[in-house]
Amino acid sequence: MVFYECVMTTKNTAPFQTLTNLMKEVSHKIVEGGGIVRTIQNHGIRTLPHRFKAKYPDKLGNRYFEKGRFVSLYYDANPHVMREVETTLKMNEEVLRNTHLLARNRLLEVNLVREDRNRYLRGVMETERAEEEAAAAAEKAESGEDSGSKGT
């Protein structure tokens, strides 16, 4: 399974119940497809970088929106389920834009075997090397003091 992040922008005039139902529908699609919904985050209403045009005007007759609600959905699923989720979001009138990204999983880096790509292993290895060098320098300094004190 692949870890996805879906960032969507919805109309700021969309009723909360409609958005809740949309998230439930998407979550059910993911779970039925064998995936796992990790979290859904509502980032609130923000000003958009430019005017977004909706497919259809809303009840008030607005077709252009300068503000939108941002929602993130993190889930694990196979690519087929991701395409189904995209289709569901494209068909919904309340969604202005949506983007799917491959989310970076921090646990993935921990599980990497190659030391040159795993920054956590690299950090541990560098720390161990620094400790070994410090111990060798201390031992060398100690042996240098012992030989210097024997001569006097």
Side-chain angles (χ1 to χ4, degrees):
M1 280 200 253
V2 184
F3 183 37
Y4 291 109
E5 174 184 5
C6 176
V7 180
M8 64 192 92
T9 307
T10 63
K11 297 177 183 177
N12 62 332
T13 57
F16 189 72
Q17 186 64 36
T18 305
L19 296 177
T20 303
N21 290 338
L22 174 65
M23 290 299 109
K24 284 181 182 178
E25 180 184 353
V26 169
S27 298
H28 284 295
K29 273 196 190 306
I30 293 168
V31 172
E32 287 170 2
I36 300 168
V37 177
R38 291 194 183 187
T39 184
I40 300 172
Q41 297 175 352
N42 180 1
H43 301 290
I45 296 174
R46 297 184 182 180
T47 304
L48 301 172
H50 56 84
R51 275 189 339 173
F52 282 12
K53 182 179 177 183
K55 293 176 205 154
Y56 306 105
D58 62 0
K59 292 177 183 176
L60 302 174
N62 298 331
R63 186 152 188 193
Y64 294 95
F65 293 89
E66 294 183 5
K67 290 187 175 188
R69 179 176 302 276
F70 288 85
V71 179
S72 295
L73 171 68
Y74 295 89
Y75 64 96
D76 292 309
N78 59 37
H80 178 71
V81 173
M82 191 256 325
R83 284 189 292 278
E84 286 182 16
V85 169
E86 277 185 334
T87 304
T88 303
L89 294 175
K90 284 180 184 175
M91 298 300 285
N92 193 299
E93 294 180 7
E94 301 297 332
V95 177
L96 297 172
R97 305 266 167 95
N98 71 75
T99 304
H100 270 83
L101 306 168
L102 287 175
R104 297 206 69 197
N105 188 348
R106 290 184 182 175
L107 293 176
L108 182 64
E109 289 184 2
V110 173
N111 291 332
L112 282 177
V113 177
R114 290 184 52 187
E115 293 174 10
D116 60 331
R117 286 187 149 178
N118 190 330
R119 63 179 171 173
Y120 299 107
L121 276 179
R122 265 189 308 194
V124 170
M125 299 290 278
E126 289 172 4
T127 305
E128 287 178 355
R129 264 190 244 123
E131 288 174 357
E132 289 173 4
E133 289 173 2
E139 188 176 306
K140 185 177 180 182
E142 229 176 70
S143 64
E145 289 176 7
D146 290 341
S147 63
S149 62
K150 289 183 182 177
T152 52

